[in-house]
């Protein structure tokens, strides 16, 4: 059975009152790739009565917010699988005309800043009922962050939304503890002892915290007036997020209150992750969407399998490690193969898995050889600036898993649709296996740029590694008689990138290597990433060195044009100092920068 979404479905289960009601900005798809379904199923497995309200109408009489009544424990709120602002707007701030998480791909079924809007409505209608927020939008806005869409710093989403509690990161290890703490009503004392949550507290509470395990960040107001303070905060936040055994509580003052962020949980065990994926999902959209058109995000992942969580790449522009963590937690072969067999039994399955992957396709079961060294490590990336000598990058377990998936009756082909980290494999067996057995004709990789100065700021490997991959790819394809394509991803307008670097990229990729680019994008600085901090401040927060930033939409448009072998009229050298853009109020979408 699907989790109920209406009062009729609640009554059919014989329930008089729900324990938890979840609100999400996505359509309800009962599948482990969608956060609301995962949280709902985890709570259901613990005996709680849970319902989901997908894409509630926030513009009418608000009946979607009241139709299921008042939950016994709490309301849960998420914007969905994507940040609502990224979902709504392109990098040049134009409104998108579609939404992959809505039937028919239609736009307009969720508000901007969905977590804040949904929570404010619930607190207005039910002021005494706790609201717990989570998902990527809340997680990456748990402290002061740069908001690209308003070109300003925003305080924690706890402040703007009025939520009682925030769960950050992946919620499997936390949600049951939160529900347990609320069994007999809202218990602030118990909730504040839970790891991986954030909440607002008064000065008296903060002064009682153990100073030896508390990091006092600069206040929101200080960050607004001092870019160095904002950068220093980010370094603390990122460092704590990437520790194997974090124990520090982060405290940030905002107005007369304090945002308190407890340390994250340790990485999920294989058994805990398996439990999350083994729950009785229907693996389909709720029947309420019949006749309303396909849901593009579901169509993309319906025949895919996620094999692990986390990423130790630490790319400057990516939110994966900030949300899922740096350390890999992998599923067991048993759990993965059981899911493959469930997919094979789906009535419309034709024998082709679209993806056997993860945030990075080839990090399965990888990690440090000596865990005690990992316990002392403070690096945000295991691959940058060079691969960690303690990293066990053995692809043997992954190749063995691929072979077992190929052997499942009913599998004709299992493709690798996720991006592959080519700086992880030195030997050729992995690449050869992927090309011979797991490529649909197009292999995706992400060099992101060609120039060393930009790649260092991106935390990406030198472009020479991509050139070696390209040579190996072409050689294997010629030998095996495969007419495959290598599809590289590139980014323009990343901090540190001028028109000079974009011109060099164009000459190398379009000219010398003769690629026709399809997978290109202009940088969108998303909250809680190193790239967004550099974009805001014009500095590398780790070194204090100035960084050039293409701020205006015109600059960003000109940089992106180099992907298509265009030469902007009167193209400048792109060597204006970052300082000139950050002082005196450089214009950006009609606004002024103020520091």
């Amino acid at each position: 059975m699907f989790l109920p979404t209406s009062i009729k479905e609640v009554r059919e289960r014989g329930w008089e009152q729900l324990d938890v009601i979840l609100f999400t900005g996505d359509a309800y798809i009962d599948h482990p790739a969608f956060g609301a379904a995962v949280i709902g199923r985890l709570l259901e497995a613990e005996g709680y009565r849970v319902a989901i309200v997908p894409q509630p109408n926030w513009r009418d009489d608000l009946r979607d917010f009241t139709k299921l009544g008042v939950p016994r424990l709490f309301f849960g709120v998420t914007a969905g699988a994507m940040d609502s602002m990224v979902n709504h707007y392109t990098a040049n701030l134009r409104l998108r005309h579609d939404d992959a998480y809505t039937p028919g791909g239609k736009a307009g079924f969720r508000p901007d800043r969905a977590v804040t809007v949904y929570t404010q409505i619930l607190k207005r209608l039910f002021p005494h009922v706790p609201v717990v927020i989570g998902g990527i939008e809340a997680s990456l806005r748990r402290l002061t962050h740069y908001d690209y869409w308003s070109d300003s710093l925003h305080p924690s989403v706890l402040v703007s939304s009025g939520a009682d509690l925030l769960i950050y990161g992946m919620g499997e290890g936390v949600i049951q503890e939160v529900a347990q703490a609320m069994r007999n009503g809202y218990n602030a004392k118990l909730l504040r002892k839970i790891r991986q949550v954030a909440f607002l507290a008064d000065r008296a509470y903060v002064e009682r915290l153990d100073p030896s395990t508390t990091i006092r960040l600069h206040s929101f107001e200080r960050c607004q007036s001092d870019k160095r303070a904002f950068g220093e905060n980010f370094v603390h936040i990122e460092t704590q997020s990437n520790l194997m055994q974090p124990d520090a509580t982060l405290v940030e003052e905002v107005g007369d209150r304090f945002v308190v962020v407890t340390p994250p949980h340790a990485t999920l065990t294989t058994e805990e992750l398996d439990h999350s994926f083994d729950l009785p999902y229907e693996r389909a959209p709720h029947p309420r969407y019949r006749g309303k058109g396909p849901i593009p995000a579901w169509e993309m992942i319906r025949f895919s399998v996620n094999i692990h969580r986390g990423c130790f790449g630490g790319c400057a522009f990516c939110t994966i490690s900030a949300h899922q963590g740096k350390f890999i937690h992998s599923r067991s072969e048993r759990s993965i193969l059981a899911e493959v067999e469930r997919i094979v039994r789906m009535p419309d399955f034709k024998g082709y898995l679209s993806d056997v992957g993860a945030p990075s396709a080839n990090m399965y079961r990888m990690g440090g050889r000596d865990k005690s060294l990992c316990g002392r490590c403070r690096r945000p990336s295991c691959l940058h600036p060079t691969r960690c000598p303690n990293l066990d990058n053995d692809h043997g377990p992954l190749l063995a898993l691929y072979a077992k998936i190929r052997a499942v009756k009913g599998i004709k082909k299992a493709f690798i649709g996720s991006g592959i980290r080519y700086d992880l494999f030195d030997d050729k067996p992995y690449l050869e296996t992927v090309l011979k057995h797991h490529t649909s004709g197009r292999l995706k990789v992400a060099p992101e740029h060609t120039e060393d100065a930009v790649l260092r700021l991106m935390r990406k490997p030198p472009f020479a590694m991509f050139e070696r991959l390209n040579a190996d790819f072409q050689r294997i394809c010629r030998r095996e008689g495969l007419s495959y394509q290598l599809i590289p991803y590139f980014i323009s307008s990343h901090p540190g990138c001028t028109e000079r670097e974009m011109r060099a990229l164009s000459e190398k990729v379009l000219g010398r290597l003769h690629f026709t680019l399809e997978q290109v994008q202009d940088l969108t600085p998303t909250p809680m990433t190193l790239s967004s901090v550099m974009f805001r401040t014009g500095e590398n927060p780790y070194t204090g060195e100035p960084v050039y930033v293409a701020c205006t939409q015109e600059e960003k448009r000109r940089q992106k044009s180099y992907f298509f072998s265009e030469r902007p009229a009167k193209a400048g050298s792109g060597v204006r100092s970052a300082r000139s853009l950050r002082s005196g109020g450089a214009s950006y979408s009609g606004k002024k920068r103020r520091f």
Side-chain angles (χ1 to χ4, degrees):
M1 295 175 65
F2 288 86
L3 296 172
T5 64
S6 66
I7 194 65
K8 178 183 177 182
E9 293 168 31
V10 172
R11 295 289 179 259
E12 286 174 350
R13 291 199 173 203
W15 296 346
E16 292 300 319
Q17 186 183 25
L18 292 158
D19 295 314
V20 178
I21 302 174
L22 304 175
F23 288 81
T24 174
D26 293 340
Y28 170 31
I29 300 171
D30 199 44
H31 184 279
F34 297 87
V38 173
I39 296 302
R41 290 297 187 184
L42 284 165
L43 290 170
E44 178 190 51
E46 296 296 314
Y48 296 102
R49 294 164 295 180
V50 186
I52 294 180
V53 181
Q55 299 186 317
N57 191 333
W58 73 100
R59 292 176 289 201
D60 62 1
D61 60 3
L62 306 181
R63 69 185 68 181
D64 283 345
F65 292 88
T66 60
K67 66 181 182 181
L68 299 183
V70 178
R72 187 174 65 89
L73 300 182
F74 61 89
F75 290 113
V77 171
T78 174
M82 280 184 72
D83 182 285
S84 61
M85 301 302 286
V86 176
N87 178 280
H88 279 175
Y89 298 96
T90 66
N92 62 4
L93 303 177
R94 291 181 180 172
L95 190 65
R96 299 186 193 273
H97 300 295
D98 57 359
D99 183 338
Y101 295 86
T102 301
K106 296 177 181 177
F109 283 79
R110 79 182 81 214
D112 285 357
R113 312 186 197 286
V115 168
T116 295
V117 172
Y118 293 162
T119 303
Q120 287 178 344
I121 290 171
L122 289 168
K123 295 305 289 185
R124 186 167 69 249
L125 294 173
F126 309 101
H128 302 298
V129 180
V131 177
V132 179
I133 58 177
I136 195 163
E137 180 166 303
S139 176
L140 301 186
R141 287 170 166 77
R142 58 187 181 266
L143 291 158
T144 296
H145 56 279
Y146 173 61
D147 183 83
Y148 172 64
W149 302 271
S150 63
D151 189 33
S152 61
L153 294 188
H154 284 201
S156 167
V157 69
L158 285 163
V159 175
S160 59
S161 69
D164 299 279
L165 192 73
L166 182 154
I167 294 174
Y168 67 93
M170 308 307 288
E172 283 103 332
V174 190
I175 191 64
Q176 294 100 326
E177 294 180 70
V178 171
Q180 181 69 31
M182 292 194 187
R183 274 185 178 274
N184 297 313
Y186 185 84
N187 188 323
K189 186 175 181 180
L190 288 178
L191 289 167
R192 290 176 174 184
K193 292 181 179 179
I194 297 174
R195 296 177 74 98
Q196 207 167 309
V197 300
F199 50 87
L200 290 172
D202 58 18
R203 186 176 299 276
Y205 175 85
V206 170
E207 289 177 349
R208 292 195 299 270
L209 293 173
D210 182 353
S212 67
T213 57
T214 302
I215 296 176
R216 291 290 292 266
L217 302 173
H218 298 294
S219 69
F220 166 66
E221 291 78 12
R222 173 77 182 278
C223 290
Q224 284 184 303
S225 61
D226 183 350
K227 66 181 181 182
R228 291 280 170 84
F230 178 51
E232 289 171 5
N233 275 11
F234 173 79
V235 172
H236 282 304
I237 296 165
E238 184 176 53
T239 300
Q240 291 300 312
S241 297
N242 288 323
L243 294 179
M244 175 171 271
Q245 297 171 326
D247 61 1
T249 296
L250 301 179
V251 175
E252 182 183 78
E253 188 172 4
V254 50
D256 60 353
R257 293 182 292 175
F258 296 82
V259 179
V260 179
V261 181
T262 63
H265 272 283
T267 302
L268 290 176
T269 65
T270 294
E271 292 72 25
E272 289 170 331
L273 191 59
D274 283 355
H275 173 63
S276 178
F277 279 89
D278 292 346
L279 293 168
Y281 302 98
E282 292 288 341
R283 300 188 65 88
H286 191 277
R288 63 189 285 150
Y289 303 119
R290 286 174 185 159
K292 295 184 179 181
I295 302 173
W298 161 243
E299 297 299 324
M300 182 177 70
I301 61 92
R302 65 191 306 179
F303 301 131
S304 68
V305 180
N306 190 312
I307 60 176
H308 74 72
R309 295 257 184 84
C311 178
F312 49 72
C315 298
F317 47 82
C318 184
T319 61
I320 292 172
S321 63
H323 187 60
Q324 295 193 12
K326 181 177 78 171
F327 296 95
I328 303 301
H329 32 297
S330 301
R331 297 171 64 186
S332 68
E333 284 187 350
R334 177 210 58 78
S335 176
I336 294 168
L337 293 171
E339 184 174 3
V340 171
E341 290 171 353
R342 285 196 296 272
I343 292 174
V344 168
R345 293 193 296 271
M346 293 173 68
D348 50 352
F349 181 66
K350 306 299 183 184
Y352 299 93
L353 292 177
S354 60
D355 186 22
V356 178
S360 288
N362 56 321
M363 291 184 180
Y364 182 69
R365 290 194 181 177
M366 292 187 184
R369 295 182 179 88
D370 184 342
K371 295 297 189 286
S372 66
L373 294 178
C374 293
R376 300 195 295 271
C377 178
R378 300 174 71 85
R379 285 175 52 169
S381 170
C382 300
L383 297 175
H384 181 86
T386 59
R387 188 192 303 163
C388 175
N390 187 46
L391 178 65
D392 181 2
N393 63 319
D394 178 16
H395 284 70
L398 182 55
L399 291 172
L401 174 64
Y402 288 167
K404 290 178 181 178
I405 291 174
R406 293 197 301 271
V408 172
K409 186 177 180 180
I411 296 295
K412 297 177 182 177
K413 198 86 169 181
F415 299 123
I416 309 300
S418 305
I420 287 173
R421 289 293 302 225
Y422 53 85
D423 50 347
L424 262 179
F425 53 86
D426 304 309
D427 52 0
K428 302 304 182 288
Y430 179 74
L431 181 60
E432 290 182 0
T433 299
V434 169
L435 290 180
K436 290 165 72 172
H437 299 291
H438 301 285
T439 301
S440 62
R442 297 156 70 87
L443 181 67
K444 299 175 185 177
V445 294
E448 309 295 8
H449 214 284
T450 61
E451 303 310 289
D452 286 342
V454 182
L455 289 168
R456 281 194 295 271
L457 292 171
M458 288 180 164
R459 294 177 179 159
K460 296 292 290 186
F463 189 64
M465 295 190 72
F466 171 78
E467 293 180 294
R468 287 198 296 272
L469 171 74
N470 184 44
D472 291 338
F473 178 90
Q474 301 298 338
R475 189 188 71 256
I476 294 170
C477 286
R478 283 194 300 269
R479 188 187 69 206
E480 301 294 331
L482 303 171
S483 56
Y484 288 171
Q485 288 180 293
L486 188 62
I487 307 297
Y489 286 69
F490 290 96
I491 292 177
S492 60
S493 303
H494 190 275
C497 180
T498 71
E499 284 196 40
R500 178 184 295 131
E501 280 78 27
M502 290 306 299
R503 185 180 296 111
L505 183 155
S506 177
E507 291 169 354
K508 290 178 182 178
V509 177
L510 301 178
R512 177 157 55 84
L513 296 178
H514 306 294
F515 277 95
T516 300
L517 296 184
E518 327 172 0
Q519 305 294 336
V520 300
Q521 67 182 71
D522 194 20
L523 176 74
T524 298
T526 49
M528 206 173 283
T529 61
L530 175 59
S531 298
S532 72
V533 174
M534 291 190 291
F535 187 92
R536 171 63 175 175
T537 65
E539 289 185 357
N540 183 335
Y542 282 90
T543 65
E545 64 179 322
V547 175
Y548 172 85
V549 178
C551 287
T552 68
Q553 293 304 317
E554 174 60 18
E555 289 174 293
K556 290 166 74 67
R557 184 196 66 76
R558 288 161 68 93
Q559 287 210 16
K560 191 172 182 180
S561 69
Y562 282 93
F563 285 138
F564 309 103
S565 198
E566 300 174 14
R567 293 294 182 270
K570 300 180 181 179
S573 65
V575 295
R576 287 179 293 165
S577 71
R579 186 70 262 147
S580 71
L581 290 174
R582 300 296 168 181
S583 60
S587 66
Y588 170 82
S589 300
K591 301 181 180 70
K592 298 281 187 178
R593 286 287 171 90
R594 297 188 185 279
F595 264 128

